[in-house]
Amino acid sequence: MNKVQLLKRIYKTQIKKYLPDLGIIIIFMLLNGAATAAVAWLLDPAIKKIFIEKDKQMLFLIPIFIVCAFLVKSVSLYFTRIQSINISFKIKESIQKILAEKILKSDLSYINDNHSGKFISNFTEDTHRLQNITQTIALNSIKEFISLFFLIGLMISKDVYLSILALTLIPIAGYISKKLGKKMGKAVHGALEANEEFTKYLSEILKSVVLIKIFQREKSEMGKLSSIIQNWIKKTSKVERTRLGTAPLMESVTGIAVALVVFAGGYRSISGDLEVGAFFSFLTALMLAYQPVRALAGINVGINEGFAAAKRIYQILDEQVLIKDNEGAKDLKLVNSDIEFNNVSMEYKKGVKVLKNLNFKIKGKSNVAFVGSSGSGKSTILNLIPRFYDPKTGYISIDNQDISKITMKSLRKHIALVSQDIILFDDTIKNNLLYGNLEATDEQIKQACIKANSYDFIINLKDQFNTMVGENGVKLSGGQKQRLSIARAILKNSSIILLDEATSALDTESEKIVQEAMNNLIQGKTTLTIAHRLSTIKNSDIIFVIDSGEIAEFGSHDELLSKNGVYKKLCDQQTLN
C-alpha cells in the first residue's frame, strides 16, 4: 500500500465524517492567514504615513490595526488548534476501537502467532504517530498553505520581480523536505520495530519474575533488557535527529532568500523603482512566508512518520478472519446436546495432521473423556467444538446441525470451558464471576459459589466478593482460582461443558475439592474432559484414547482395562486400577 492509497484510506475511514467540523476549522485558518498577511501589509502605510508623512492620526490608528490583526491571528489560531486536537483524539479513539474489535474478532491462530507486546505497541506507539497525521500534520499543512497563499499574494502586490526571486528558493526547500521525508520513513519504521521488541521483552519479564528470581537470572535478563533499551533509544534518537535536521537547512534557505531580496530590493530602491515602505512590507511578508515553508518541510517529514505507523496498523486491520459466521448461518437449536465428529481431520501447519479422519458420536448429557500422551490431539478436539479453529476436512455437528453453518454467538452461548490456564481479570471476585452471566443476581452468584466449593473461602476474605484478585488472580491460590472459574461456568449455565485438564496443576487436597465442584458443574450436561490424572475420569461414560491424532480405543474404564491396550499401559504408569 503506497502513500496515496494510505492517505485515501485514512480520509475515507477517519477524516471524511468530520468534514463539517473541518469546514469551521478552515474558516479560522482563513482568518489566521489574512491576519498574518495584514500584519505585513500594515508596515507599508506605517512607514509612509507615520515616518515619512508624519501623519499624527495614523500614529494612533495603525498601531490599533496592528493589535487587532494580532488579536484575530491569535484567537483564530487558538480555535484552530483546539478543534484540531478534538478531531485528532476522536480519530485516535476510533482507530483504537477498530483495532481492538479486529483483535477480538481475529482467529485464535493469528493471536497465538503474534506476541501480546506487538499489539500493545500497535495500540500505543503506532496509533499515537498516526494521530499526528491529523493533529499536527494534515490540519497544520492546510493552515500553513493558507497563510502562504495570503503572504505570497501580498508579496506579488508589492513587487512582482522580488517575488519571483524569493519564490525560486521554495522548490529547493521542497526538495530538502522530500529527501528528509524518505529518511524519516525508514527511521520511524526502525524505531517502531525497536519499540515493539522492547514492549514484548518487558511483557515477558513481568510475567516471568518468579522464574527469573528462582534461577537467579536477574543479571543476565537485565543485560538483555539493557541492550534492547539501548537499541530502542538509538532508533528513537535517529528519528528525532532526522526531524530536527529540517530546521538548520530551512533556516539556511531562509537566510539566503532574505539576503538576495535585501540586495535586489536595495538595488531597486536606489534606482527609484521601489518605495521604502513597500520594500519593508515585502520583506516582512517574505520572512513570515518562510515560516509556513519551514513548517511544511517539517510536515512532510511528519507525514512519512505517520505513514510508517499507519502501514503497521492497516496490516492488522487487513488480516483476513477465517473463523466467522458463514453466509446464511442460523442459530443453534439445542435438543439433546449430541455431538458428532464426521471424518474430521485437522492441521495447524500445512501437511502436518494433528487429527486424522476422526469419527465418533457423543450422546447428549453423557460424560466422556479423552486421554493420551502429550501432543496426541486431545486439546485440538475440544478447540474445534466452539470453533476456535475449523477442521481441514470433515465437519462437526451438534444435534445434527453442522456447526460451520451455525452462528458463533448461538454456538458459544451453549458451551462453557474450564481450563488449566485460568483467566481472571484484575478486578473483584464478583465482577469476575459476573463474566459468566452479567444478569446474575447476588443469590445466583452465592448458589454458584456454593456448588463450586468457593463460597466459604470468599466470605472469609476481608472484602468478600469485593476482594480484588490481582493480575490473573495472583492474590489467590491455584485451587481458589479454579473454583472461581467453575463458579463462573456454573453461572453461564451452558449445556455443553469442556474441561481441559482442569485439575492438572493442583495438589491432591485441592484436586478433591475442585473435582467435587466440577461434578456439580457437569450434572445433566454433555461433558468432554481431558485429564492427565486418570483417576479423575474413571467414572466417565466413555473414554476415548487418542494416539497420534487417531482413536486408538474407546470404552468405559473397566472395558479398556480388560483390552490390555494403550489405556491399560497409561493406568499402569499411574498405578491406577
Side-chain angles (χ1 to χ4, degrees), residues 292-356:
V293 169
R294 286 195 299 271
L296 288 170
I299 284 167
N300 183 55
V301 172
I303 286 174
N304 282 275
E305 184 178 358
F307 282 156
K311 283 183 180 180
R312 286 161 50 90
I313 290 173
Y314 284 118
Q315 280 175 356
I316 296 175
L317 297 181
D318 291 338
E319 182 68 27
Q320 188 177 5
V321 178
L322 301 175
I323 311 297
K324 58 186 178 182
D325 288 340
N326 291 311
E327 189 175 349
K330 299 178 180 179
D331 287 346
L332 175 63
K333 295 179 181 178
L334 210 62
V335 182
N336 299 316
S337 304
D338 296 336
I339 300 173
E340 187 172 2
F341 276 55
N342 300 276
N343 201 35
V344 171
S345 294
M346 178 63 189
E347 56 184 53
Y348 297 111
K349 294 181 180 179
K350 192 173 181 180
V352 182
K353 285 193 174 183
V354 180
L355 300 179
K356 304 170 185 176

Side-chain angles (χ1 to χ4, degrees), residues 206-404:
L206 294 174
K207 287 188 292 186
S208 310
V209 170
V210 173
L211 187 69
I212 293 168
K213 287 182 179 296
I214 197 65
F215 285 101
Q216 298 174 289
R217 293 289 182 266
E218 292 95 337
K219 188 175 180 180
S220 62
E221 293 299 339
M222 189 61 220
K224 291 178 185 177
L225 187 58
S226 296
S227 178
I228 290 171
I229 292 174
Q230 188 177 17
N231 180 54
W232 179 32
I233 295 298
K234 179 182 177 182
K235 295 291 179 62
T236 305
S237 297
K238 186 176 181 181
V239 171
E240 296 306 317
R241 287 196 304 271
T242 304
R243 182 185 289 110
L244 294 173
T246 59
L249 290 170
M250 293 308 301
E251 288 294 337
S252 299
V253 171
T254 303
I256 293 170
V258 171
L260 288 173
V261 166
V262 168
F263 175 80
Y267 180 80
R268 286 175 58 74
S269 177
I270 291 170
S271 303
D273 297 326
L274 182 65
E275 294 181 355
V276 174
F279 172 72
F280 276 103
S281 181
F282 178 91
L283 186 61
T284 303
L286 172 65
M287 296 181 74
L288 289 173
Y290 268 89
Q291 181 179 335
V293 169
R294 286 195 299 271
L296 288 170
I299 284 167
N300 183 55
V301 172
I303 286 174
N304 282 275
E305 184 178 358
F307 282 156
K311 283 183 180 180
R312 286 161 50 90
I313 290 173
Y314 284 118
Q315 280 175 356
I316 296 175
L317 297 181
D318 291 338
E319 182 68 27
Q320 188 177 5
V321 178
L322 301 175
I323 311 297
K324 58 186 178 182
D325 288 340
N326 291 311
E327 189 175 349
K330 299 178 180 179
D331 287 346
L332 175 63
K333 295 179 181 178
L334 210 62
V335 182
N336 299 316
S337 304
D338 296 336
I339 300 173
E340 187 172 2
F341 276 55
N342 300 276
N343 201 35
V344 171
S345 294
M346 178 63 189
E347 56 184 53
Y348 297 111
K349 294 181 180 179
K350 192 173 181 180
V352 182
K353 285 193 174 183
V354 180
L355 300 179
K356 304 170 185 176
N357 304 316
L358 289 188
N359 288 282
F360 61 84
K361 185 173 183 177
I362 298 170
K363 188 178 179 181
K365 298 180 176 59
S366 63
N367 182 8
V368 303
F370 296 88
V371 300
S373 59
S374 179
S376 60
K378 306 183 299 297
S379 293
T380 300
I381 292 172
L382 261 61
N383 285 333
L384 289 173
I385 294 171
R387 286 193 70 197
F388 292 153
Y389 300 91
D390 278 341
K392 183 71 175 177
T393 59
Y395 69 96
I396 301 162
S397 63
I398 296 177
D399 288 337
N400 297 316
Q401 300 163 76
D402 185 344
I403 64 171
S404 67

Side-chain angles (χ1 to χ4, degrees), residues 282-533:
F282 178 91
L283 186 61
T284 303
L286 172 65
M287 296 181 74
L288 289 173
Y290 268 89
Q291 181 179 335
V293 169
R294 286 195 299 271
L296 288 170
I299 284 167
N300 183 55
V301 172
I303 286 174
N304 282 275
E305 184 178 358
F307 282 156
K311 283 183 180 180
R312 286 161 50 90
I313 290 173
Y314 284 118
Q315 280 175 356
I316 296 175
L317 297 181
D318 291 338
E319 182 68 27
Q320 188 177 5
V321 178
L322 301 175
I323 311 297
K324 58 186 178 182
D325 288 340
N326 291 311
E327 189 175 349
K330 299 178 180 179
D331 287 346
L332 175 63
K333 295 179 181 178
L334 210 62
V335 182
N336 299 316
S337 304
D338 296 336
I339 300 173
E340 187 172 2
F341 276 55
N342 300 276
N343 201 35
V344 171
S345 294
M346 178 63 189
E347 56 184 53
Y348 297 111
K349 294 181 180 179
K350 192 173 181 180
V352 182
K353 285 193 174 183
V354 180
L355 300 179
K356 304 170 185 176
N357 304 316
L358 289 188
N359 288 282
F360 61 84
K361 185 173 183 177
I362 298 170
K363 188 178 179 181
K365 298 180 176 59
S366 63
N367 182 8
V368 303
F370 296 88
V371 300
S373 59
S374 179
S376 60
K378 306 183 299 297
S379 293
T380 300
I381 292 172
L382 261 61
N383 285 333
L384 289 173
I385 294 171
R387 286 193 70 197
F388 292 153
Y389 300 91
D390 278 341
K392 183 71 175 177
T393 59
Y395 69 96
I396 301 162
S397 63
I398 296 177
D399 288 337
N400 297 316
Q401 300 163 76
D402 185 344
I403 64 171
S404 67
K405 298 176 182 178
I406 293 169
T407 62
M408 287 192 292
K409 183 178 180 180
S410 67
L411 171 66
R412 293 173 181 173
K413 176 184 177 182
H414 295 290
I415 299 172
L417 171 66
V418 178
S419 171
Q420 61 179 327
D421 299 320
I422 308 153
I423 305 297
L424 294 176
F425 296 99
D426 188 9
D427 204 338
T428 64
I429 288 176
K430 181 178 180 178
N431 286 339
N432 272 285
L433 293 172
L434 284 172
Y435 209 76
N437 180 4
L438 294 173
E439 298 178 358
T441 64
D442 289 345
E443 182 60 28
Q444 287 173 323
I445 292 172
K446 177 181 176 180
Q447 292 303 319
C449 290
I450 290 171
K451 289 180 180 179
N453 285 339
S454 58
Y455 185 71
D456 289 342
F457 90 77
I458 292 173
I459 60 172
N460 284 320
L461 295 171
K462 180 183 177 182
D463 296 319
Q464 298 185 347
F465 282 92
N466 292 319
T467 300
M468 297 292 293
V469 302
E471 186 177 359
N472 208 27
V474 69
K475 296 179 182 179
L476 303 175
S477 70
Q480 289 172 334
K481 289 194 291 184
Q482 193 60 281
R483 280 178 276 166
L484 286 183
S485 72
I486 292 170
R488 184 168 57 192
I490 291 172
L491 281 172
K492 190 178 182 187
N493 194 28
S494 300
S495 300
I496 298 170
I497 309 295
L498 308 179
L499 304 175
D500 189 358
E501 300 198 33
T503 62
S504 63
L506 304 179
D507 57 69
T508 305
E509 183 179 352
S510 296
E511 181 186 359
K512 183 179 178 181
I513 299 172
V514 170
Q515 188 62 51
E516 184 180 327
M518 286 197 298
N519 290 338
N520 292 330
L521 167 67
I522 68 177
Q523 284 180 5
K525 315 288 187 182
T526 302
T527 306
L528 289 76
T529 304
I530 295 173
H532 174 71
R533 296 175 183 174

